[in-house]
Structure formats: structure tokens, C-alpha cells
Amino acid sequence: MKIVAKKKLWKYLFWLGPFLITVGLTVGLVSQQWGLITLAFLIAGIVISGLGIIWQSYQSNWWRRRSTQAGTNALVATLAVLAILGLINFLGTRYHLRADLTETQLFTLAPQSRELVRVLPQPVKVWVFDINQNPQDRELLENYQRQSSKFKYEYIDPQTRPGLAEKFGVKDYGEVYLESGDKRQLVQTVNENERLSEVRLTSRLQQLTNSTTAKVYLLQGHGERQLSPGKGAISQAIQGLGDKNFTTSPLNLGETSKVPQDAAVVIVAGPKRELFEGEVKALQEYLNRGGNLLLMIDPNTDPKVDSLLQEWGVRLDNRLAVDVSGESVVGLGPATPLVTEYGQHPITKDFGKGNSFYPIARPLEISSVPGVEATPLLRTKPYPNSWAESDLQSEKLEFNADKDLKGPLTLGVALTRKAAKSASTPQVAPTPSPLPSPTTQSKASPTPAASPPPPAPTPSPTPSSQIATESRLVVLGNSNFATDGLFQQQLNGDVFLNSVTWLSQQEKQPLSIRPKEPKNRRIALTTTQANLLILSSLLVLPLIGFAIAVIIWWKRR
């Protein structure tokens, strides 16, 4: 009797387990706080219930039954599957893992966009004044929002909130505005045929958050690339500079004889005729006072800038860069080097093994010069894939060991040199120039010690008012890569824009790969082709299938 009573006591005692679990769940759900007391009830209830189950199975030999073992295995497997699914869902809510398998990474933000949003100085918000919320546009905005809590977006119906629409000056459905502080800017108007563009949104975001503008001058008067749209023009490159908050103007040194003081960068894009000696001297003086110059020199031209390049340790090779590696892979001719090797430099830091190509390019020779730091940017593949061809008139390009130069070839280089003085900083006392050039040293005139220093100049908002600690030079043996049509291909535009951005010495400007526009893969069919497609799909193919079925039936019969 005592044993039976003890068994009943244990049986009733084990019912305490489910009771404590119920108390713990009730306290947690009602109070919305899973504190120490709640967890204590739950843990105690689970432990008591588990001991009860073990004791009951021991008394009845329940665990040794075959049916019990099979049921337990099924229960364990079910719990394991539920645990795995729960873990996957938990990780999915906490960590966003996405795979973009599109060719141009259409659903992944470009590195420049991610970098720009992550370092936003202040909150920004995108207002989409539209009734319909396109899933593709929302996905793009969600990608931006994942990068920073300072980026927000909202869809607005202009009819339900007319005051807000009037505040932004909305005129039609689909207008997208960007707002930061008291600044507002129209991004674009979206509709069924035109979706929200990452290129435009990133460009407007950069313009809105960057308060400084840099002036870029493009040298003219020697057959340089045309700035307005036309054959061989660089109008798309000019537009790209505008999207990055640069202002551009043509420059004729034959008229001014001096580079303007507000010039952040001077670009010489593919001159066909030689520069006057005074113009070359003006560019040298501009570099000596902390200027920044981009030279893009094509083969079969001699702009007479050898004296300038010699100070920097650069020599233009008169041979033609030949690369046969891209001929069979992407259909490029041997006179169009395909570059996939880039130097370790801010201009090319995110390029990886990306492609850029340079139709009709010349190699560069780099030599060491005291005070000048040179970094090769663009390198062709080693010989026999590339070489420098000396016979430019030959119809068949073949390597000649006596005249030609084996690859790899350098097609672009970035150089820095300590500046002698700032254009807007007056000299108070004689300071020795750190440059090795005797011409530069002769320009420093000593100021008497007794004379008081001149008053400091009033700072201007232009970048040239800042004290330039170094001058920068980028030399590229090609200008065709930046022309209209080729500028948007592969990394060509990135090479140009990143070079100008780095030269401008605006350290806050992001240097990275620009966003890519989606490729248009629509198939344009004529009326005849469309009719043929309809007949083949609705008549020919079904008849072929029916004929095959009849033949199989006949053979089996």
C-alpha cells in the first residue's frame, strides 16, 4: 500500500510540470516581459515534466517497446526539421543574404552608391509622388535604405496630400524628388516605360549632399575632342562630370596665356596639333603651383609636351599598343588593347578584373624622378598577347624583335609631386622649393625680413583657395575610350571620371564604379518576322508534334 501511495504521489507531483509551464507562459504573454521569474517558471516546469516522462517510461517499460522507439524517432526527426526551419527563418530575418545573377548586377547597388549612402552627412528622403508602387522601384529604394538609417523613402498620392505636392511643385504623377534639410531636387519622372534609375538617383544624391563644386577646364584650339555631341566627341564624359557636381568650361591658353586660378583640373583630351611653347609653359606653371592635369594623348600625334612630361619622368612611346587577347574573346581588334590589370591606386581600387578597352593607344615609359611618386594604372597582358608595334603602316601586325617592345605595356599612369606653393597663398619669407626643377626654384623671390607680412586673402568657395600640398598628373595614352558610345562601355567611363575626381583632390568625393544602366534586350521584329513566328508556334510546331504522335501510334499498332 505504501508503494502504491508513493507512486500516486509521484504521479500527482509530475502534474506540477505542465502547471508551471502554463504559469510561465501566461506571465510572459500578459506582461510582455520575459524576465527572470518567467524563465524560472518555464525551466522548472520543463524539468519536472521531463522527469515525469522518464519515470513513467521506466515504470511501464514503455521505452523498450518497438512502437515507442519508432514514434520517438519520428518525433525527434520532426523536431529536428522544425528546429532547422526555425533557425533558417531566424537567420533570414537578422541577416539579409541576396544573390544577384543578372549580367550587369541590376538588383545590386554599385559600390559608389553604397559608399555614398553609408557616409551621408545628414538624413535624406526620397518622395515618390505616384499612386502605383512599382515593385522594381521599391526594391531599388529598399537597397538604398539597407545601407544607412539616414536614407528614407515614401510614396505619396498627390490627390490626398495636395499641400505636400504643392510644396515640391509636383506637376504630374510619377515625379521623384530628393530632399535633404531645406534642399529639394527633382530626380526624374517614372512611368510604365521608364523606371527609377540608380544612375540618376546616385548622381542627384551626390549633388545634393556635396556642397562644394570644382571647376574643370578642357583645353581647346589644337584639335582636341569636341565637347558638344558629335562624331568623336566627349559630350557623355562632360555630362558625367556634371552629374558628379563638376562645372566644365573650355580653355584656350592662346588667348589667356595662364590657367585660371579657380581651375581644379585641366584636361587635355586628344590634341592633334602641337601646343605653343607658351601654352606648355602655362601648364607647367599651373602644376608647379599645385595644379592638376589630365593628359590623354593618342598615337601619331605630337602635342610637344615632352618638356612637361620629362619633369615627371614620363615619355610618350611613338609605337602602337597591340593586344590580340581580346580579338577572339570579345571581338576587339588587335589595335584595341583590352585591359584587366590595374594598379593599386584610388582611381582603380574597385575595378578588380573588370574590362576596359582603348582603341588605338600608345604605351608610356615611366622613369624614376626625385620627388615624384608614379603608379601605373593600366597594364596590358604580357607577351605574346601584347606588344608595342613600331611599323604603323603594316597591314598585318606581327612582332619584330628588333623594333618592337614586348608586353606588358603601361597605357596610363598617375603621378603626384609636392607643390612649390599655393596659388592663393602669399609668400612671406623665402622658402626653398622641394621640386627638382631649377625653373621652379628660380621663381621664389625672397621677401625682406623687416617688411610686414601681407594680409591674408579672403577665402573663396572654389577648391583653388585651399592650400595645395601636392600637384597631380594623370597621363593616358589614348582618348578614344572616353568618346561618345565608348564612354558607357565596361569601365571606360569609370577610368575617366575617377581620374578627374582624384585629380580634383576632393577627398570626400567617392571613387568607385558608377552604377550601370540595364541593357535593353528587346527584340525588334518586322511584320514578316512576327507573322512567321505566329505561324510556326501556332501551326507548324503543333502539326509536327501531332505527326510524331501518329508515327509512334502506327509503329506500336
Side-chain angles (χ1 to χ4, degrees), residues 178-419:
L178 190 64
E179 182 181 33
S180 178
D182 57 351
K183 298 179 182 178
R184 303 180 188 91
Q185 190 172 18
L186 176 65
V187 178
Q188 68 177 107
T189 302
V190 296
N191 50 52
E192 294 181 357
N193 299 321
E194 184 178 2
R195 303 313 326 157
L196 185 59
S197 168
E198 181 188 352
V199 175
R200 296 185 182 180
L201 185 54
T202 296
S203 298
R204 299 297 180 268
L205 185 62
Q206 187 169 346
Q207 293 177 6
L208 197 65
T209 56
N210 186 16
S211 59
T212 61
T213 60
K215 193 66 175 289
V216 176
Y217 286 91
L218 295 102
L219 192 65
Q220 298 288 284
H222 317 89
E224 289 87 357
R225 296 289 177 180
Q226 183 178 325
L227 307 185
S228 57
K231 184 178 180 181
I234 56 172
S235 62
Q236 292 178 344
I238 300 300
Q239 179 62 42
L241 291 175
D243 291 339
K244 291 181 72 68
N245 225 25
F246 290 102
T247 57
T248 57
S249 296
L251 173 64
N252 193 326
L253 286 177
E255 299 175 350
T256 62
S257 71
K258 188 177 181 181
V259 177
Q261 295 289 342
D262 63 345
V265 183
V266 173
I267 300 176
V268 183
K272 294 181 175 62
R273 296 182 295 273
E274 63 183 62
L275 277 66
F276 291 116
E277 183 179 351
E279 294 177 304
V280 177
K281 186 177 180 181
L283 293 176
Q284 289 176 309
E285 292 177 348
Y286 170 66
L287 288 172
N288 289 342
R289 69 173 190 251
N292 309 284
L293 179 64
L294 172 59
L295 291 176
M296 300 188 294
I297 311 298
D298 297 312
N300 290 326
T301 61
D302 185 12
K304 300 297 183 182
V305 292
D306 295 339
S307 59
L308 183 151
L309 294 176
Q310 186 178 3
E311 296 181 358
W312 294 77
V314 180
R315 191 182 77 85
L316 299 174
D317 196 313
N318 293 323
R319 288 170 286 198
L320 177 69
V322 175
D323 182 7
V324 298
S325 63
E327 189 172 6
S328 59
V329 180
V330 292
L332 299 176
T336 304
L338 177 67
V339 173
T340 58
E341 299 291 336
Y342 304 95
Q344 297 295 323
H345 193 271
I347 294 177
T348 55
K349 67 175 182 178
D350 289 322
F351 283 9
K353 292 292 182 179
N355 298 320
S356 60
F357 55 94
Y358 306 85
I360 315 297
R362 71 193 307 167
L364 308 174
E365 292 185 13
I366 314 299
S367 58
S368 178
V369 172
V372 175
E373 181 180 351
T375 304
L377 296 177
L378 312 172
R379 301 275 288 182
T380 64
K381 297 175 178 61
Y383 178 82
N385 287 322
S386 71
W387 68 88
E389 176 66 43
S390 57
D391 188 1
L392 305 184
Q393 305 301 324
S394 176
E395 297 181 359
K396 187 176 182 180
L397 299 175
E398 294 180 343
F399 178 75
N400 188 328
D402 297 332
K403 300 179 180 179
D404 299 339
L405 177 66
K406 292 183 178 181
L409 308 173
T410 299
L411 303 183
V413 62
L415 309 104
T416 59
R417 185 177 69 179
K418 294 298 181 182

Side-chain angles (χ1 to χ4, degrees), residues 39 154 213-214 298 335 356 384 400 403 416 432 453 472 486 494 496 537 553:
L39 293 177
E154 184 176 351
T213 60
D298 297 312
S356 60
N400 188 328
K403 300 179 180 179
T416 59
R472 297 180 176 182
L486 298 181
D494 303 307
F496 177 83
S537 59
W553 171 81

Side-chain angles (χ1 to χ4, degrees), residues 104-127:
T104 57
Q105 297 294 289
L106 184 60
F107 301 103
T108 303
L109 292 182
Q112 178 180 356
S113 300
R114 296 197 300 267
E115 181 181 354
L116 186 62
V117 176
R118 287 171 183 171
V119 297
L120 285 175
Q122 57 185 355
V124 297
K125 188 170 184 178
V126 175
W127 299 87

